[in-house]
Amino acid sequence: MVECCKEIMKEFNAAFAYTFSDEVNFLMKDIFNCRLEKINSIVASEFASRVSLKLGFPVSFDSRIIFANLDEIWEYLPWRQGEAWRNHLNSYAFYTLLKEIGDRRKVQKFLEGKKSPELHEILHVRGINPAKTPAWQRRGILLYWKEIELEKEFEGSYRI
C-alpha cells in the first residue's frame, strides 16, 4: 500500500497520502478542475488496480480526496487517526475471536455495535494490549514530500 501511495502521489501530484486499514486519503492540488467525484473515482480505481496487481488478487479501498489548506489538515488528520484506532481494535478483536470461534458470521454478529472500550476489553482479557502493537497498525502511515537541499562543491546548491 505504501508503494502504491508513493506512485499515486507522483502521478497525481498529491501533497501527501495517509493510509490505514482499507482506506487511503490524498491531499490533492488542483487537478481535473477540482471535480471531486472525478478525482475520487479515478484515484480510487487507480490505487485499487495497482495494489491488486502487486498482490495478485483483486482488492478495493475506501478513498478520500482532501482539498484543504494546512490549517484544516491539522483538524482532519486526528479525526482519521481516531478512525484508524477504531479499525485497529475491531480488526484485532475480529481475528482474535475468529481463531477461537472459527465462524466469521458469528464473530461479526458478536462484535456488531461494540464500542472501542468493549473491543479493548475483549483483547485485554485475552492478553493482547493494543497499545503495544506496531504504531503503523494503530495510527496509520503518512507519506509526504520533503524538500532537501543538495550542495555541490564547485557550484552553488540544487533543490529537488
Side-chain angles (χ1 to χ4, degrees):
M1 285 183 64
V2 169
E3 287 304 312
C4 291
C5 282
K6 289 177 186 177
E7 292 170 10
I8 294 292
M9 286 176 68
K10 287 177 187 173
E11 185 167 335
F12 292 95
N13 198 26
F16 75 72
Y18 174 66
T19 183
F20 67 91
S21 185
D22 67 341
E23 180 178 306
V24 183
N25 300 257
F26 293 101
L27 177 64
M28 293 293 193
K29 299 179 181 183
D30 186 23
I31 60 172
F32 300 118
N33 296 319
C34 291
R35 290 176 40 214
L36 183 59
E37 295 83 10
K38 183 165 185 75
I39 296 167
N40 204 25
S41 68
I42 289 172
V43 171
S45 63
E46 180 81 19
F47 188 79
S49 296
R50 289 172 187 255
V51 175
S52 296
L53 288 171
K54 288 182 187 296
L55 293 175
F57 56 87
V59 296
S60 60
F61 292 93
D62 184 5
S63 175
R64 285 176 171 71
I65 304 299
I66 310 156
F67 292 108
N69 63 45
L70 287 179
D71 293 335
E72 294 167 325
I73 293 304
W74 304 125
E75 295 171 17
Y76 179 81
L77 286 174
W79 170 54
R80 298 317 305 151
Q81 278 198 325
E83 186 63 23
W85 175 248
R86 286 184 291 279
N87 280 4
H88 174 66
L89 290 175
N90 194 59
S91 292
Y92 262 82
F94 178 83
Y95 287 105
T96 299
L97 293 173
L98 186 60
K99 286 179 189 173
E100 290 177 21
I101 298 170
D103 184 318
R104 297 177 82 81
R105 289 188 191 138
K106 286 181 182 176
V107 173
Q108 287 171 332
K109 182 78 171 159
F110 176 76
L111 291 176
E112 193 174 302
K114 297 266 190 291
K115 304 286 186 216
S116 292
E118 296 168 292
L119 297 171
H120 198 281
E121 184 60 24
I122 288 168
L123 296 171
H124 178 72
V125 299
R126 288 164 176 80
I128 299 170
N129 182 350
K132 301 280 186 193
T133 57
W136 68 269
Q137 291 178 359
R138 297 188 315 264
R139 298 296 179 197
I141 299 170
L142 179 71
L143 294 90
Y144 58 92
W145 297 105
K146 182 177 181 182
E147 188 174 285
I148 60 171
E149 191 172 306
L150 299 176
E151 293 188 24
K152 206 171 182 184
E153 288 181 24
F154 55 91
E155 296 178 23
S157 62
Y158 295 91
R159 293 198 175 271
I160 59 171

